[in-house]
Amino acid sequence: MVVRPPVGGDARSAYLPELATQVWPPPADATLRRGGAGYTVVPSAARPRLLVPAGSRRAAASAIRHSTEAVGLKARLKRQVLATAFRTGLGPLAFRDRLVIDAGPESFAERMADVLGRPALLSIHVSPARANRKPVVQLLGQRGEPLGYAKLGVDPLTRKLVDAEASALRRLGSVRIPGVTVAEVLHHGPWGGHALLVQSALPVGLPRAAPTAAAEGERAAMVAVSGCLGTTREPYAASGYANRLAGTVAELGDRPETGRLQAILAGVTRVDPVLTFGAWHGDWNGGNSAVLADGRVLVWDWERFDTGVPAGYDALHRRLQTAVTRAGTEPVAAARDLLAGAAGTLAPFGQPAGAADLVAVLYLVELAARYLHDRQAEAGARLGHVAAWLLPAVEDHLANRAGEGGVAK
């Protein structure tokens, strides 16, 4: 029997049957029940955010404490209260919806036990709609101690991303990045028709740095990642990145956004600024990094890691994502602010101040091409509609720059 979402549930509720089938493929059965064993659906089957093991208080509390969705002090306090409720046994009483699995002969948990060399309990984050949505499974010991994380690539895009993250983690594991800690690859290979990556758990439960120290530490970590494989300095038009980005945009084909992006790149090429190039994480945001009190910076989710890009892309991405997702700034206003403040954002990365806004322009083109290639708008992602916010902000900025003599028409 395949689990069916409850009537009146939200978008993640509709995703729950698909998620269950991906982690527990046929002949496994998944059903929703009230009470009993299996996985507690937090907070409910109508609004699922997390699946935690119903049979272990410690593991359920640990899974909630280490979930990464909580953003802001209020959300973190709520998460702590929820973890305490599960640890004391009140959680299973308050949250009665269960996902019950008849896993069949080769369960995912058994495969994880083979990889880890010990039994593992599972906890699964139910993520919001986006093109790169995939199962991310937290692996826990019997006492709730984090053992690692497993990711499943379940379609062409997410399989590509899972494989890319495995490659990035192996590459980063061979270099020294001052102050930055990344996970180790424990296993990478096929499972159940999916791409499977199992990586070690980072010590996210350790005390965190104070806000000012955290901001400084994160900035230093971004600079370290940017230079971890060396940097170069050269004119933009002659760089490999210019050719690569132009090719990525051209691959969008006859979409209406393609010509506008190409016109933006042509404007930057005519100016041809000399830029510093390095590496970037590719999706640095508040949900995939943590600065510890001892100064270490933990960074995870390396599936978008890339090299040979203008230095400072991570700082630009962090600022944009924080403005939109945490501060609630309208995307077009956030993009305009990003362009206006680029010189300050990029100051630690060695970019010429006079060209900083053009680096921000190139970053926004990179982001637009990513969202369009991944079809984020079609998947329901808010920022996927780049023609509604990103393109107007960039085009207006370049028009104003041209009026000041900065970009030739």
Side-chain angles (χ1 to χ4, degrees):
M1 181 184 299
V2 177
V3 61
R4 299 183 184 281
V7 176
D10 65 11
R12 297 196 214 198
S13 175
Y15 170 60
L16 194 56
E18 180 183 350
L19 175 64
T21 301
Q22 290 166 346
V23 180
W24 297 283
D29 288 335
T31 57
L32 276 173
R33 299 178 188 170
R34 292 288 287 177
Y39 294 87
T40 302
V41 186
V42 182
S44 69
R47 297 180 56 251
R49 297 298 182 268
L50 197 64
L51 304 178
V52 300
S56 172
R57 294 182 182 181
R58 287 182 174 181
S62 176
I64 292 168
R65 281 199 315 273
H66 293 100
S67 63
T68 60
E69 187 167 291
V71 176
L73 179 59
K74 183 178 179 180
R76 289 195 294 272
L77 289 173
K78 183 178 179 180
R79 180 176 63 185
Q80 186 58 45
V81 169
L82 190 60
T84 300
F86 272 86
R87 189 176 66 251
T88 58
L90 296 176
L93 298 176
F95 304 101
R96 300 285 294 163
D97 288 343
R98 303 286 187 271
L99 182 67
V100 181
I101 307 297
D102 179 5
E106 288 186 305
S107 73
F108 189 77
E110 289 173 340
R111 183 70 186 98
M112 293 303 95
D114 290 340
V115 170
L116 298 171
R118 58 185 292 188
L121 299 173
L122 313 181
S123 173
I124 306 174
H125 172 57
V126 185
S127 57
R130 57 181 185 269
N132 54 318
R133 177 161 62 180
K134 57 189 172 298
V136 177
V137 184
Q138 186 179 7
L139 309 173
L140 302 160
Q142 298 302 310
R143 293 189 169 191
E145 68 274 22
L147 303 179
Y149 285 85
K151 296 185 178 184
L152 288 172
V154 296
D155 55 34
L157 172 60
T158 55
R159 281 194 290 272
K160 177 182 176 182
L161 292 173
V162 165
D163 291 343
E165 181 164 18
S167 176
L169 289 176
R170 289 191 177 108
R171 190 175 185 184
L172 293 167
S174 67
V175 299
R176 180 177 178 272
I177 312 176
V180 177
T181 301
V182 302
E184 298 178 7
V185 175
L186 302 180
H187 175 79
H188 175 227
W191 182 82
H194 307 316
L196 169 64
L197 169 63
V198 184
Q199 54 190 273
S200 62
L202 296 174
V204 295
L206 294 179
R208 303 293 178 89
T212 299
E216 294 174 354
E218 189 176 56
R219 214 164 21 244
M222 290 177 183
V223 174
V225 168
S226 179
C228 70
L229 295 171
T231 60
T232 61
R233 193 174 178 86
E234 59 185 315
Y236 168 73
S239 68
Y241 179 71
N243 291 331
R244 193 170 76 207
L245 184 56
T248 299
V249 170
E251 289 171 359
L252 293 170
D254 59 358
R255 295 188 62 130
E257 300 92 347
T258 304
R260 296 170 69 179
L261 290 169
Q262 289 173 329
I264 291 168
L265 290 180
V268 177
T269 300
R270 283 191 290 269
V271 178
D272 197 16
V274 175
L275 302 177
T276 300
F277 295 86
W280 75 314
H281 171 277
D283 190 23
W284 200 309
N285 58 64
N288 54 30
S289 67
V291 183
L292 302 182
D294 63 11
R296 284 180 294 166
V297 182
L298 313 179
V299 188
W300 55 94
D301 289 349
W302 292 87
E303 61 190 25
R304 301 283 190 176
F305 177 75
D306 202 2
T307 60
V309 307
Y313 269 16
D314 277 327
L316 293 168
H317 189 76
R318 178 71 159 100
R319 176 170 174 168
L320 178 68
Q321 296 296 319
T322 300
V324 174
T325 63
R326 183 171 296 186
T329 306
E330 283 299 313
V332 66
R336 295 185 196 281
D337 291 344
L338 186 77
L339 292 161
T345 304
L346 296 174
F349 296 90
Q351 297 290 7
D357 66 316
L358 295 181
V359 174
V361 166
L362 292 172
Y363 156 72
L364 289 169
V365 172
E366 172 91 31
L367 191 65
R370 176 190 297 181
Y371 286 169
L372 292 169
H373 272 291
D374 293 353
R375 298 194 172 275
Q376 292 285 7
E378 291 87 337
R382 178 189 180 196
L383 296 183
H385 300 275
V386 298
W389 65 279
L390 187 153
L391 289 175
V394 173
E395 289 166 342
D396 288 350
H397 177 80
L398 291 182
N400 292 335
R401 206 179 197 273
E404 299 169 0
V407 176
K409 293 184 179 180

